[in-house]
Amino acid sequence: MKFQLQSFATPARLLEAECDCLVVGITAPRFKGLAKAIDQATDGLLTRLHAEGELAGKAGQTLLLQAVAGLRARRLLLVGTDGPAAGPAPEPAALARAAAKALAATRAAHIVWALGDDEEAWAHAVLEMQQADYRFDAYRTGEQPAPPPERTLSFATPDEKRHGALRARLSQAQAIANGVALARDLGNTPPNVCTPVHLAEAAQALGRDWGLEVEVFDRAAIEALGMRSFLAVAQGSTQEPRLIVLRYQGDKAKRAPVALVGKGVTFDSGGISLKPGEAMDEMKYDMCGAASVLGTLRACAEMRLKVNLAAVIVACENMPAGNALKPGDVIKALSGTTIEVLNTDAEGRLILCDALTYAQQRFAPAETIDIATLTGACVIALGHVRSGLYANNDALGQALLAAGDKMADPAWRMPLDAAYHESLKSRVADLANIGGRPGGSVTAACFLSRFVQGPWAHLDIAGTAWKSGQDKGGTGRPVPLLAQYLIDRAAS
């Protein structure tokens, strides 16, 4: 998808825009600006549609019209922008999403976008249009729907002085959208294809394409590093584990990097603590933390962001076998901490603890952010709207929350009180890998907090990394949140 900026001195000039579709925001019946000009040019068409109940103007409602007399656009898409009388204004992302959904059902290639009037509203337009046009058809045979056309979004602005800032923000949005698409592709790839080795190959391809340093460690190298907790999870699978390390150097070499640590369990059966069979196919998405790290790196590299990043991805399968990790086993982490395994389905923390230690020891990061589809308990707590956010540093936590809100990729700050750590005590080891059902997402985060020094945040994306049901598929979250956070950090 491409974008461009077009200057229109007055709303009336937009009526002369030749395009496949003109997208306009309306509040009915109080037509203003461009909507008023359209109503006048069409001999009161909008007024009549409103009177007939077809055009309420409520936020997110859309109406697509063909060949409207008085306009040179071949289609007119009306998008309601009228929020509730006693409530918050509709979010630009929600309006852009509604418009993008309607446009995705058309073959409109050149779209003039007159919905919203600032760079943030239009950044959401770029993101939502690319999301709406996303397809994953690599494994389908036979007759398939035609792919979406190569679209161009023309943003209507009366002020040429703003073009520089607008163009820069739209370029960022396009880079973020490309990162989201990469994360979605990796998450949607079936688990017999997207193995740990496949993730490593994807990282190497990303490195070649975008000039990143990439190292891949096989089982022997991981063992030599002393990452026994990671290998304990991997030992029940015939698929070989991989430790994947990437470096993006966008700032001065002396600047400490931000460490991004991603959980890459390419299939999670639960191990000996076997999961129920229903919807187990969705456990291919247990590598979405790793996918989001790769997507974020791609976005930052495309933006040439002035920030240093060190990414650590731990990739393996969690499978039951005669040699698999068992409840009751005691293992030793890279840090030297001994862990009593009470549930093998709490495996994410067992691989992440070694990854966090490795990141701390090797890179001495300015701050560390880990991303993982870690707990079903987070889904119970927050559903599928907000990711769970834990942070041992208020400035880092607030900055991540703000970035998520800005990009319509929201998170919610969760507690890390010392009292929660009590349930992780073990009678036979330094630490137990679960703390019981109450506060399961919290105690998982508390477990991880034992393996970091300095500013750290944990994003539990178990409820937001993919969708179930008719729209089943990876979402690419939290790539927008992470990319925006790094944009803000680079600018500070």
Side-chain angles (χ1 to χ4, degrees):
M1 190 179 70
K2 302 175 182 178
F3 69 84
Q4 61 188 21
L5 299 172
Q6 286 187 271
S7 295
F8 295 91
T10 64
R13 294 294 299 274
L14 270 166
L15 307 184
E16 302 171 9
E18 289 195 23
C19 59
D20 294 319
C21 190
L22 173 63
V23 182
V24 179
I26 61 159
T27 57
R30 303 178 304 279
F31 302 123
K32 297 180 292 184
L34 178 56
K36 184 177 180 180
I38 291 172
D39 195 42
Q40 292 172 343
T42 58
D43 196 23
L45 174 63
L46 303 192
T47 298
R48 292 195 303 275
L49 288 170
H50 174 68
E52 293 167 4
E54 294 186 42
L55 188 63
K58 292 183 179 179
Q61 289 186 338
T62 60
L63 181 63
L64 182 66
L65 304 173
Q66 302 278 349
V68 177
L71 302 183
R72 302 189 73 174
R74 284 176 281 283
R75 300 172 185 85
L76 173 64
L77 178 62
L78 303 171
V79 183
T81 62
D82 197 8
E91 295 181 356
L95 299 179
R97 190 174 306 122
K101 183 178 180 180
L103 288 165
T106 76
R107 302 298 298 170
H110 180 206
I111 299 161
V112 173
W113 194 281
L115 175 62
D117 60 358
D118 59 58
E119 55 261 40
E120 292 311 316
W122 292 345
H124 285 298
V126 171
L127 281 162
E128 295 298 340
M129 278 302 304
Q130 290 206 193
Q131 288 269 50
D133 277 347
Y134 174 84
R135 300 288 186 275
F136 188 78
D137 297 325
Y139 299 91
R140 299 179 60 157
T141 61
E143 187 176 351
Q144 298 183 31
E150 181 65 33
R151 302 195 201 267
T152 298
L153 289 185
S154 293
F155 293 96
T157 169
D159 187 359
E160 290 190 12
K161 294 179 181 179
R162 296 173 57 203
H163 279 200
L166 290 169
R167 191 172 287 110
R169 184 55 176 158
L170 293 175
S171 294
Q172 288 179 342
Q174 195 160 45
I176 294 169
N178 291 335
V180 168
L182 172 60
R184 293 182 76 179
D185 281 348
L186 289 169
N188 289 332
T189 300
N192 60 319
V193 177
C194 188
T195 62
V197 170
H198 179 87
L199 268 186
E201 291 170 347
Q204 290 168 326
L206 188 67
R208 289 191 298 271
D209 292 344
W210 295 99
L212 309 177
E213 297 177 28
V214 183
E215 297 173 87
V216 177
F217 298 79
D218 62 12
R219 184 187 294 269
I222 297 167
E223 189 169 6
L225 288 172
M227 301 176 81
R228 299 181 185 88
S229 186
F230 173 24
L231 289 177
V233 173
Q235 70 193 31
S237 173
T238 58
Q239 295 291 341
E240 287 292 303
R242 290 292 185 265
L243 170 67
I244 306 163
V245 180
L246 305 95
R247 300 288 304 274
Y248 167 73
Q249 200 77 16
D251 204 352
K252 297 176 183 177
K254 65 180 181 181
R255 293 274 176 87
V258 175
L260 300 176
V261 177
K263 175 187 173 184
V265 177
T266 57
F267 190 78
D268 180 19
S269 70
I272 296 297
S273 305
L274 194 66
K275 292 178 180 290
E278 183 181 358
M280 195 193 282
D281 65 289
E282 295 183 6
M283 289 302 99
K284 71 176 185 176
Y285 296 113
D286 211 16
M287 41 61 67
C288 284
S292 71
V293 168
L294 294 176
T296 300
L297 283 170
R298 190 206 186 286
C300 290
E302 184 175 339
M303 290 185 283
R304 299 181 180 178
L305 211 56
K306 286 191 175 183
V307 64
N308 294 335
L309 301 175
V312 179
I313 291 171
V314 272
C316 67
E317 283 188 339
N318 183 27
M319 299 291 284
N323 64 332
L325 184 67
K326 304 179 296 298
D329 285 357
V330 173
I331 56 179
K332 182 179 282 189
L334 176 60
S335 66
T337 301
T338 58
I339 303 166
E340 182 185 14
V341 178
L342 299 179
N343 188 321
T344 65
D345 194 24
E347 87 296 333
R349 66 203 73 183
L350 297 179
I351 68 174
L352 285 172
C353 68
D354 276 355
L356 289 167
T357 300
Y358 178 84
Q360 305 283 305
Q361 292 179 350
R362 179 171 177 185
F363 299 114
E367 56 201 35
T368 303
I369 305 169
D370 75 75
I371 309 98
T373 49
L374 202 64
T375 65
C378 193
V379 185
I380 300 303
L382 296 175
H384 303 287
V385 177
R386 291 181 180 265
S387 300
L389 169 65
Y390 297 84
N392 66 1
N393 178 280
D394 286 341
L396 175 58
Q398 290 301 318
L400 287 166
L401 285 175
D405 288 342
K406 187 173 188 178
M407 296 307 296
D409 184 8
W412 189 260
R413 186 85 178 268
M414 302 282 279
L416 281 170
D417 301 41
Y420 286 108
H421 288 256
E422 291 297 313
S423 64
L424 294 171
K425 288 182 176 179
S426 166
R427 292 182 179 274
V428 298
D430 299 329
L431 199 59
N433 81 319
I434 61 170
R437 289 176 63 84
S441 178
V442 178
T443 54
C446 289
F447 180 97
L448 295 178
S449 73
R450 304 285 190 96
F451 298 89
V452 289
Q453 300 84 40
W456 159 79
H458 159 62
L459 284 163
D460 190 334
I461 59 171
T464 56
W466 78 92
K467 293 180 180 179
S468 301
Q470 185 177 357
D471 296 326
K472 180 185 290 188
T475 64
R477 296 178 65 183
V479 172
L481 182 159
L482 291 168
Q484 184 60 51
Y485 168 73
L486 293 168
I487 290 169
D488 296 340
R489 193 180 193 281
S492 63

